[in-house]
Amino acid sequence: MQLQRPHLTHSPWLGGGAAALAVLLWALVPLLANQAGDLPPLRLSALALLAGALGTLPMARRRRHRDAPLRPLEGVVVYLGVPLLTAGAVGACFAAFNRAPAEQVALILYTWPVLFLLASQWRALGRLPGNCLLGTSLAFSGAALLVGPQALSGGASGSWVGYLLAALGALCWALYSLAGQVAAWRLGDRMPHLLLIASLLTGGASLALEGTIALPARDTLVIVVALGLGPYGLAMLAWDRAMRDPLAHRVGNLAHGVPVVATLFLVLAGVSVPDWRLPLAAVLVVAGSVVAAAEPKRAAPSFSRRAFRRS
């Protein structure tokens, strides 16, 4: 889920196709999580991340870099901090789907590109541009349109807890994306190991909080494997490839369409019944994300300045 990566010189169609594949696979998460039945969220996370680690192992590139090895502190951040963020994002996501409607959780969860943009702009500029503030307001007004009625009608329980977990998952993905901007860490190359560590972390949490391990039924296991190989395996590698494209700053905007495509899948599968708030909230979230990601126009130099330089 990195939104910026350095150079590749291949056709931009490759980057766009890779990003589109990642978006489609991520959009399947709410539907597949709904089909997983009563499998506890931490156990589902551990099994899905394990499947993702095993699935990405043969697809990950062999390291041919001559970069300096990671310093001790960098190693701790990469091999402990990043897996903790991944485990937190996936675990919070599945826990949220257990406590709130899937289509509403998806919209809140995929506000993470806006959070990422806020952090990136603040880190780069020391301030937040106007388009970033406007886009953030639009995106979060879409999420508030869904959360508001629940918050007004019923306390911090039920779906409200699911919304908070979805927001936590969005924050974890945004922080993961910030880590992915550090080219020297090469998270794409280390993906199988990072997913495996995240699986062990969530597996330990499952043993502590959810009790003994019981193997899921065969149909449920197939869904878990599909989650791991698709959204948390192939999609992660495809997104890493897309973000190394020369036009990554444009290709990254495709991520803003994930909640819309996810909602469409849920409606087509008969899991969700759309109402007027859902498409309006989706439009606000996507529009806000695109506005926040828009690059400010640079002012052209004046004629007098150009003439002065020529003289």
Side-chain angles (χ1 to χ4, degrees):
M1 284 191 177
Q2 300 99 313
L3 290 183
Q4 289 184 359
R5 278 288 188 124
H7 52 73
L8 271 187
T9 58
H10 299 296
S11 167
W13 288 103
L14 293 176
L21 175 62
V23 166
L24 287 175
L25 291 173
W26 285 336
L28 287 171
V29 170
L31 181 59
L32 291 175
N34 179 268
Q35 300 298 319
D38 297 329
L39 196 63
L42 290 176
R43 192 168 305 161
L44 174 59
S45 302
L47 293 174
L49 289 169
L50 177 60
L54 296 177
T56 57
L57 192 59
M59 292 183 288
R61 298 180 304 165
R62 292 183 179 179
R63 296 182 191 174
R64 298 176 181 176
H65 301 276
R66 291 174 290 181
D67 300 336
L70 295 175
R71 295 191 294 268
L73 181 58
E74 288 181 321
V76 171
V77 172
V78 170
Y79 286 108
L80 181 60
V82 172
L84 279 172
L85 289 175
T86 305
V90 177
C93 168
F94 290 146
F97 285 131
N98 277 356
R99 291 169 171 81
E103 66 276 11
Q104 299 180 11
V105 167
L107 276 174
I108 297 171
L109 179 67
Y110 285 103
T111 57
W112 71 259
V114 183
L115 296 175
F116 169 70
L117 283 169
L118 285 173
S120 297
Q121 294 286 352
W122 182 265
R123 188 179 65 171
L125 304 176
R127 61 182 179 85
L128 295 177
N131 67 298
C132 198
L133 292 173
L134 175 60
T136 301
S137 300
L138 285 173
F140 283 100
S141 66
L145 182 63
L146 298 177
V147 175
Q150 176 69 24
L152 293 175
S153 63
S157 61
S159 296
W160 184 236
V161 176
Y163 298 147
L164 291 176
L165 287 168
L168 175 62
L171 178 61
C172 288
W173 280 132
L175 292 174
Y176 177 94
S177 299
L178 285 175
Q181 283 192 309
V182 183
W185 291 355
R186 303 192 308 275
L187 298 189
D189 293 345
R190 306 178 196 274
M191 191 67 65
H193 302 97
L194 300 179
L195 291 176
L196 180 60
I197 296 171
S199 174
L200 293 174
L201 292 173
T202 50
S206 176
L207 284 175
L209 301 175
E210 296 173 345
T212 57
I213 293 179
L215 288 177
R218 184 177 61 181
D219 293 344
T220 303
L221 190 59
V222 170
I223 293 171
V224 171
V225 172
L227 270 170
L229 294 180
Y232 301 120
L234 180 58
M236 302 287 277
L237 292 178
W239 192 252
D240 180 72
R241 167 59 184 86
M243 293 303 99
R244 290 181 288 109
D245 193 270
L247 298 179
H249 61 289
R250 296 181 182 177
V251 171
N253 287 332
L254 289 174
H256 307 316
V258 173
V260 178
V261 181
T263 301
L264 178 62
F265 285 159
L266 290 168
V267 171
L268 292 176
V271 175
S272 301
V273 178
D275 60 62
W276 67 271
R277 292 183 303 147
L278 195 57
L280 179 57
V283 169
L284 287 172
V285 169
V286 174
S289 300
V290 172
V291 169
E295 295 183 359
K297 295 181 179 180
R298 297 180 179 178
S302 65
F303 177 80
S304 59
R305 179 177 295 181
R306 289 199 301 264
F308 177 78
R309 287 179 178 174
R310 288 172 182 161
S311 60

